[in-house]
């Protein structure tokens, strides 16, 4: 078998000799033969396919450790792993894009030659939480104030105090004058406080170890079902208002929606097992909606949980309407019904009552909480 020198192999694979030496040291792409006298590396032509795959994955920005995993998989499994990596990369890019847009806008407004032309905005809001028709206790917490909007969905034996503690940890943000440029930092610090408060509560619950997914919501895996061993925990979706900007923090499967110019947009992604399978192309959205694992959380605030939140900034416009809700609403009321109520019910107080009524009309299998806020001049 004719072997290729490292130079010829580098040219054919579009990898540099330096990269090939590194991949040899890592065991990712060892040469077919190393000359015992000169130490020169030689490669088999059959290794070109693997080398080209490594080169493509590096162009995607995939870390070497993950490339090693991909190269060890069968083609179908490798494709799923690449799909999963790219879905996360797109989510990270979207978050950075939002932050970049905010920074450009924020720094542009510091130009003394520019005069503000945007009129001050306010929000009108209402919050409502209901036990539903099946559960004995309400473990949700819903809150709406002049600066803070929040929904938390607790789970476990002390889910109610966990959700309340998470929201309480954010309430001090209502009283402080936070500059727009510090909005995300202030919210991130408050979420860390919320996480500590929830962990303190979760630490008082019996625990047998932390599983990879947590149970929350109706159906299999609800309450302490699949999440047994995590004690108490909670989701958290909240918005902090400054008058023209909204900072959003989100962890778990509670949701935030935006009604703008007649269209309804979901502006959060569920941190659930089935959503990750949808992102990877292994489930369709329709299959995910009926999956018995749809309530298994990948992220939440609680003992042993992955508590990494999504943080983003939202530019407010007059006429915008925001909905924050627990999964007790979103899992039983279809989006077209949410749209109908939000677009056809002017007053936030009436809107939250109508939304809770829809959830209970659909069987009320879970606690249901929602916050509706309107941006007005």
């Amino acid at each position: 078998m004719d072997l290729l020198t490292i130079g010829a192999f580098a040219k054919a694979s579009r990898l540099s000799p330096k990269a090939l030496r590194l991949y040899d040291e890592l065991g990712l792409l060892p040469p077919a033969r190393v000359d015992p006298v000169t130490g020169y590396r030689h490669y088999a032509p059959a290794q070109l396919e693997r080398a080209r795959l490594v080169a493509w994955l590096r162009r995607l920005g995939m870390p070497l450790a993950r490339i090693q995993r991909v190269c060890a998989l069968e083609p179908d499994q490798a494709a799923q792993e690449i799909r999963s990596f790219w879905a996360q990369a797109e989510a990270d890019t979207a978050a950075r894009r939002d932050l970049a847009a905010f920074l450009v806008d924020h720094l542009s407004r510091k130009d003394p030659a520019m005069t503000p032309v945007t009129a001050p905005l306010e929000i009108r809001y209402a919050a409502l939480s209901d036990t539903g028709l099946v559960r004995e206790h309400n473990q949700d917490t819903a809150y709406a104030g002049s600066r803070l909007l929040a929904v938390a969905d607790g789970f476990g034996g002390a889910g109610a105090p966990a959700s309340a503690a998470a929201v309480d940890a954010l309430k001090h943000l209502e009283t402080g004058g936070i500059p727009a440029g510090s909005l995300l930092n202030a919210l991130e610090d408050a979420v860390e406080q919320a996480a500590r408060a929830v962990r303190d509560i979760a630490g008082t619950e019996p625990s047998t170890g932390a599983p990879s997914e947590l149970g929350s919501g109706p159906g299999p895996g609800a309450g302490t079902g699949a999440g047994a061993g995590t004690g108490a925990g909670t989701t958290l979706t909240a918005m902090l208002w400054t008058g023209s900007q909204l900072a959003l923090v989100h962890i778990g499967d509670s949701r935030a929606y935006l009604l703008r110019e007649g269209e309804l947009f979901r502006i959060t992604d569920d941190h659930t097992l089935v959503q990750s399978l949808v992102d990877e192309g292994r489930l369709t959205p329709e299959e995910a909606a009926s999956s018995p694992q749809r309530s298994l959380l990948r992220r939440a605030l609680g003992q042993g949980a992955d508590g990494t939140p999504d943080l983003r900034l939202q530019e407010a416009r007059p006429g915008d309407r925001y909905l924050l809700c627990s999964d007790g609403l979103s899992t039983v009321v279809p989006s077209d019904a949410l749209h109908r109520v939000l677009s056809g019910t002017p007053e936030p107080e009436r809107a939250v009552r109508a939304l809770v009524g829809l959830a209970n009309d659909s069987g009320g299998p879970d606690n249901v909480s929602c916050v509706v806020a309107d941006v007005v001049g």
Side-chain angles (χ1 to χ4, degrees), residues 132-172:
L133 304 180
V134 175
R135 299 293 180 88
E136 293 183 3
H137 307 288
N138 191 352
Q139 294 187 310
D140 285 3
T141 298
Y143 176 82
S146 59
R147 291 172 59 91
L148 178 68
L149 313 169
V151 166
D153 179 359
F155 57 85
S163 68
V167 174
D168 286 345
L170 272 59
K171 288 182 179 178
H172 71 277

Side-chain angles (χ1 to χ4, degrees), residues 172-219:
H172 71 277
L173 298 172
E174 289 237 78
T175 58
I178 303 171
S182 303
L183 199 56
L184 280 182
N185 290 340
L187 192 54
E188 186 173 24
D189 290 344
V191 172
E192 290 180 2
Q193 296 175 22
R196 288 194 294 269
V198 173
R199 285 196 297 269
D200 288 343
I201 292 171
T204 66
E205 292 293 296
S207 177
T208 59
S212 58
E213 286 89 32
L214 307 169
S216 175

Side-chain angles (χ1 to χ4, degrees), residues 43-125:
Y43 294 83
Q47 292 182 282
L48 281 172
E49 183 176 358
R50 181 184 178 106
R52 288 168 180 153
L53 175 60
V54 172
W56 291 331
L57 295 175
R58 288 299 288 161
R59 289 179 188 175
L60 282 179
M62 184 178 287
L64 288 173
R66 193 159 185 175
I67 290 176
Q68 285 182 303
R69 294 205 305 271
V70 170
C71 290
L73 297 172
E74 295 297 322
D76 287 348
Q77 295 174 316
Q80 291 177 359
E81 182 72 12
I82 294 168
R83 191 179 292 116
S84 174
F85 168 78
W86 191 245
Q88 184 59 52
E90 287 185 320
D92 293 343
T93 299
R96 291 197 298 271
R97 182 179 62 242
D98 291 340
L99 180 57
F102 165 73
L103 290 173
V104 169
D105 180 68
H106 174 63
L107 294 173
S108 297
R109 292 179 184 181
K110 288 186 175 181
D111 185 347
M114 296 180 64
T115 56
V117 295
T118 304
L121 301 175
E122 297 178 351
I123 53 172
R124 295 183 305 178
Y125 48 85

Side-chain angles (χ1 to χ4, degrees), residues 213-280:
E213 286 89 32
L214 307 169
S216 175
T224 55
T230 61
T234 186
T235 70
L236 179 64
T237 301
M239 282 182 152
L240 183 61
W241 168 256
T242 64
S244 62
Q245 294 275 350
L246 282 161
L248 169 69
V249 62
H250 168 68
I251 183 165
D253 62 353
S254 296
R255 290 182 176 180
Y257 293 85
L258 167 62
L259 181 70
R260 172 173 286 175
E261 297 179 351
E263 291 190 61
L264 185 65
F265 307 92
R266 177 153 64 98
I267 58 175
T268 55
D269 293 316
D270 295 342
H271 298 147
T272 58
L273 174 63
V274 295
Q275 183 61 53
S276 67
L277 297 177
V278 170
D279 293 340
E280 295 167 13

